[in-house]
Amino acid sequence: MGNYIKKRTITGVLTIVFSFCLTFFLTRCAPGNPLKVLAGTDNPNPELIEHLTIRYGLDKSLPVQFVNYVKDVFKGDLGYSYISNRPVTTLIAEKIFPTILLSLTATLLSVVIGTILGIYAARRAGSILDRVMCGISYVFDSLPGFWLGLILILIFASGLGLLPTSGMYDVREDYEGLPKVLDIMRHMILPVSALLIIQTPAYFRVARSSVIQTMSEDFVLTLRATGMSENKIFNKYILRNAIIPTVTIFSSDLAFMVGGVTFVEIVFAWPGMGRLIMEAITRRDYPLLTGIYLMISISICIVMLITDIVYAFIDPRIRLR
């Protein structure tokens, strides 16, 4: 088990290093000049652009910029945003919690609801209820997240006036403690519902197909021949073998939760990482983009490492690979 974890850790570190190098050079080789955005696109001042170029070290070659940036990263300094002139670590710290709160809530609800419904449908495979549930899952899975968000706003916010249209909390109120928590939960209902509707079908279909496939295995027929009860066979053997694909999707959603809800955050004006990423891309904010991508790659590798360890405990055969 120790060698297995060591191999996965080394692979994760190499992935982070490769991703860091790739994103650093790709962002700086992409079309667009962030200094022209700072100097003004209508009538840019050449002297100001030259001053900013020297100030941010963009007058040096890319290899020199890369070496200097790596030195700063090892010191815990991700640089300053070109646009806001604030530390990148501060900007990420301000936006990461709202995104994790929104994504994690929706993902946990999706995996629980989708898996339960998938198992329920699998044990009644071929019935009318199973077919209806499968049809609904395909319809929900085809809905774009941003379109669904707009529809929810039109119905429940603008039409019925039951829920707020945007934001994380009511900025006009000076809430503290439990009232603020309840206000945040109220603002989360629509964006979480949008994510829940588009994420749950994947868990439903994977759980359903995995259970059906496992139930047809030879070892299940052997267990039935011994006279073991169906509930014991399902709970002890089928469910454990069928849950691995669900763990795979869940870990993937967790790994990409930071940037995976961008459009939903934009639709609901949620103050998270999605909007920060879009602003950094449109304004060519190199330090902010590089810092965000570094943070995303680290989070992905950590989640994948944890997932591999969970796999090893669920199925010991994986440790031998």
Side-chain angles (χ1 to χ4, degrees):
M1 186 66 176
N3 291 331
Y4 175 79
I5 296 176
K6 187 184 298 182
K7 291 179 182 178
R8 291 295 184 268
T9 303
I10 294 174
T11 302
V13 171
L14 294 177
T15 302
I16 292 172
V17 172
F18 176 77
S19 174
F20 173 75
C21 297
L22 185 64
T23 54
F24 180 89
F25 289 102
L26 283 180
T27 54
R28 284 155 178 79
C29 293
N33 189 340
L35 302 183
K36 289 184 178 180
V37 177
L38 291 175
T41 55
D42 294 333
N43 189 20
N45 188 332
E47 295 180 357
L48 179 59
I49 293 178
E50 182 180 358
H51 170 73
L52 293 174
T53 301
I54 298 174
R55 176 184 175 184
Y56 291 114
L58 297 179
D59 57 325
K60 300 179 177 63
S61 62
L62 278 180
V64 175
Q65 293 182 42
F66 178 74
V67 172
N68 292 335
Y69 188 76
V70 170
K71 292 179 180 178
D72 292 336
V73 168
F74 277 111
K75 297 176 183 177
D77 181 13
L78 297 181
Y80 281 75
S81 169
Y82 291 162
I83 306 302
S84 63
N85 198 30
R86 298 177 62 197
V88 171
T89 52
T90 302
L91 292 173
I92 294 177
E94 291 176 352
K95 302 295 184 180
I96 189 69
F97 174 73
T99 292
I100 292 178
L101 177 63
L102 182 65
S103 301
L104 189 59
T105 302
T107 302
L108 289 175
L109 290 175
S110 298
V111 68
V112 171
I113 296 174
T115 303
I116 291 175
L117 293 177
I119 293 173
Y120 183 83
R123 303 193 73 172
R124 293 158 181 80
S127 64
I128 297 178
L129 180 61
D130 175 45
R131 296 175 183 176
V132 171
M133 294 174 69
C134 290
I136 293 175
S137 71
Y138 283 113
V139 172
F140 283 171
D141 198 26
S142 64
L143 299 178
F146 65 90
W147 178 85
L148 181 60
L150 292 174
I151 295 300
L152 292 177
I153 290 175
L154 287 174
I155 296 174
F156 295 100
S158 300
L160 301 177
L162 299 176
L163 297 169
T165 59
S166 61
M168 185 176 177
Y169 51 84
D170 193 343
V171 296
R172 296 170 295 183
E173 300 290 344
D174 189 18
Y175 288 137
E176 293 294 340
L178 182 59
K180 186 171 184 178
V181 173
L182 295 176
D183 189 38
I184 292 175
M185 293 175 62
R186 184 168 176 264
H187 281 76
M188 288 177 61
I189 292 176
L190 287 184
V192 167
S193 298
L195 292 172
L196 186 64
I197 291 174
I198 62 179
Q199 289 180 353
T200 300
Y203 291 105
F204 168 80
R205 290 198 305 274
V206 168
R208 177 184 176 276
S209 60
S210 183
V211 169
I212 291 176
Q213 180 180 357
T214 306
M215 290 174 66
S216 63
E217 295 288 344
D218 293 337
F219 76 90
V220 176
L221 298 177
T222 303
L223 292 173
R224 286 172 178 166
T226 62
M228 187 179 296
S229 66
E230 286 292 330
N231 288 333
K232 187 175 182 180
I233 294 174
F234 184 83
N235 295 329
K236 190 174 181 179
Y237 299 100
I238 295 177
L239 190 59
R240 181 174 180 177
N241 286 275
I243 204 67
I244 292 181
T246 301
V247 175
T248 303
I249 299 181
F250 179 65
S251 62
S252 178
D253 285 344
L254 288 182
F256 291 94
M257 72 165 61
V258 174
V261 296
T262 300
F263 293 112
V264 173
E265 286 188 353
I266 292 175
V267 169
F268 291 98
W270 189 262
M273 289 294 297
R275 297 179 64 191
L276 187 66
I277 293 173
M278 291 299 296
E279 291 175 2
I281 293 174
T282 55
R283 298 183 179 184
R284 304 295 189 273
D285 198 336
Y286 295 156
L288 184 56
L289 273 176
T290 309
I292 291 173
Y293 291 148
L294 176 61
M295 184 268 300
I296 291 177
S297 62
I298 292 175
S299 64
I300 290 174
C301 290
I302 291 175
V303 172
M304 290 306 176
L305 175 61
I306 296 174
T307 304
D308 288 337
I309 296 174
V310 173
Y311 280 168
F313 279 107
I314 295 177
D315 188 354
R317 295 172 298 177
I318 298 178
R319 307 177 196 175
L320 303 177
R321 298 178 184 177

